[in-house]
Amino acid sequence: MLLSNHVDLLNALSILCYALTACFAAAIPSQCGRLIQTAEDSQPTLLNSEATASPLSSPEGSRLSPEANTKVTPLPKYIRLFKFNVHQRPLIRILLPSLHASYQSLLTLFQVPNPTLTVILVFLINGLAVRIEVLLPQYASLVLHWPLATVNSALALKALISSLVLFALPTLRKSCLEPRMSTLQIDIFITQASLLTNMIGVIGLGFSAPAGFFIISLCVYTSGCGLADSLTTYGTCTLPPGEQVSEFYVRTGLINTIAALIGAPLWSGVFSLVLKSEILPLGLPYWVCAALYGAGLGGAMALKTWLANGAEGWRYDRVASNETE
């Protein structure tokens, strides 16, 4: 009750938590950072003009100091632009190259072949659709005429249903699916089932029905919580040659961040438009969300078709070539 009547206090507490997190991150001692010179960097690194001269094997090179013989490659230009000494800040030395790698992944986010491109698009669709949850408290309060406290108690069922599904999924996978399907077939099956249950659930949430129907629709929607892990496993197992798993994780992280930045304002704007209109039904945002889940289901079916056309062989050929190298 105190926080609900004093929004400024809640915002101040959030800002304080972020400030404390930033202070703790900046206070990490240098001993906790990555070593400036790794095992590979400890070897002498020569410039191109010095490689042919072989100074270490010449008499002149043998008289050089140990510091001159262990010259390391200079830092990239985008790091040298900063005015602080990164050699004394191992945390900065770790974060800046990571930021540069994320920027490069953002520029080439959709420049990947199938099926990785389809996987990323399904992640984007799911990330946009799942942000419909920002409307649930206000929407349920309007439809069911419940106070927000009662709505929040009902929405706590989401955590319970998700826990039960995630707890039962490994047993179901091992006892029922593994004897009949391969690993990739199981992953794509769980992805399709999750998208289908999400679509059916949000369609039911869009109707101005009694409380019991709303609770059932909410449970059906929440039961599709196995999509992210299964789709990630499928994506990592079907990466094209030359694509690194770390790059795939960076792409999916960027996609989820973009979807979060776009999805919440998008659904809030659509719901605000519905509230101002006297013609549009109140459940229109949920039916639009169901259409998005349908598009994601179409993408999952395309992944299944691609899998049937030889993804398993490509995967094992890729693994065999990696072992040969």
Side-chain angles (χ1 to χ4, degrees):
M1 181 63 70
L2 176 63
L3 294 179
S4 61
N5 294 331
H6 299 83
V7 181
D8 294 337
L9 177 60
L10 180 61
N11 293 335
L13 290 175
S14 301
I15 294 173
L16 179 62
C17 291
Y18 281 117
L20 289 176
T21 303
C23 291
F24 284 129
I28 295 177
S30 60
Q31 289 80 0
C32 296
R34 183 186 299 173
L35 292 177
I36 301 302
Q37 206 171 23
T38 60
E40 296 179 357
D41 294 336
S42 61
Q43 300 297 328
T45 302
L46 302 178
L47 301 177
N48 292 333
S49 60
E50 298 172 344
T52 58
S54 301
L56 294 179
S57 60
S58 62
E60 292 79 4
S62 61
R63 291 193 295 268
L64 293 176
S65 62
E67 292 78 5
N69 289 335
T70 57
K71 186 194 305 179
V72 297
T73 304
L75 292 173
K77 181 179 180 181
Y78 64 90
I79 297 181
R80 296 200 305 269
L81 293 177
F82 294 88
K83 300 302 182 183
F84 46 77
N85 187 356
V86 295
H87 293 281
Q88 297 177 358
R89 300 286 182 131
L91 183 62
I92 300 297
R93 190 177 175 86
I94 296 173
L95 294 179
L96 288 180
S98 301
L99 181 62
H100 179 72
S102 300
Y103 176 72
Q104 293 295 332
S105 298
L106 180 62
L107 293 180
T108 60
L109 192 56
F110 298 102
Q111 297 178 6
V112 289
N114 273 320
T116 305
L117 177 61
T118 305
V119 171
I120 291 176
L121 291 178
V122 174
F123 267 116
L124 178 61
I125 292 173
N126 179 72
L128 290 174
V130 77
R131 300 302 164 185
I132 194 71
E133 296 180 5
V134 299
L135 305 181
L136 273 177
Q138 185 179 2
Y139 175 79
S141 180
L142 290 175
V143 171
L144 302 176
H145 306 288
W146 287 352
L148 287 178
T150 305
V151 171
N152 291 330
S153 300
L155 294 181
L157 281 174
K158 291 172 72 262
L160 177 62
I161 298 299
S162 299
S163 301
L164 292 177
V165 171
L166 294 177
F167 181 77
L169 195 57
T171 303
L172 178 65
R173 180 181 183 123
K174 187 174 183 61
S175 60
C176 299
L177 298 180
E178 287 185 356
R180 298 173 177 84
M181 304 178 185
S182 64
T183 301
L184 292 181
Q185 289 175 341
I186 293 174
D187 291 328
I188 200 62
F189 174 78
I190 295 176
T191 300
Q192 289 178 314
S194 299
L195 289 169
L196 182 61
T197 54
N198 286 333
M199 183 177 65
I200 295 174
V202 293
I203 290 176
L205 290 174
F207 293 101
S208 299
F213 185 80
F214 179 86
I215 296 299
I216 293 175
S217 300
L218 182 64
C219 292
V220 172
Y221 165 75
T222 309
S223 62
C225 57
L227 181 142
D229 295 333
S230 298
L231 190 58
T232 301
T233 304
Y234 180 93
T236 54
C237 290
T238 57
L239 287 175
E243 186 77 10
Q244 300 295 328
V245 176
S246 58
E247 295 178 358
F248 175 77
Y249 282 121
V250 171
R251 293 180 194 277
T252 55
L254 290 173
I255 280 293
N256 291 328
T257 302
I258 293 173
L261 293 175
I262 298 176
L266 175 64
W267 294 121
S268 299
V270 173
F271 192 59
S272 177
L273 180 64
V274 169
L275 292 177
K276 294 178 182 178
S277 175
E278 298 179 356
I279 302 175
L280 298 177
L282 194 62
L284 179 63
Y286 290 90
W287 297 333
V288 175
C289 180
L292 280 178
Y293 278 121
L297 184 59
M301 294 176 64
L303 291 176
K304 183 179 180 180
T305 303
W306 186 89
L307 179 62
N309 292 333
E312 289 281 358
W314 187 8
R315 178 197 176 196
Y316 293 127
D317 290 343
R318 181 170 178 265
V319 172
S321 63
N322 291 337
E323 291 178 353
T324 304
E325 293 176 357

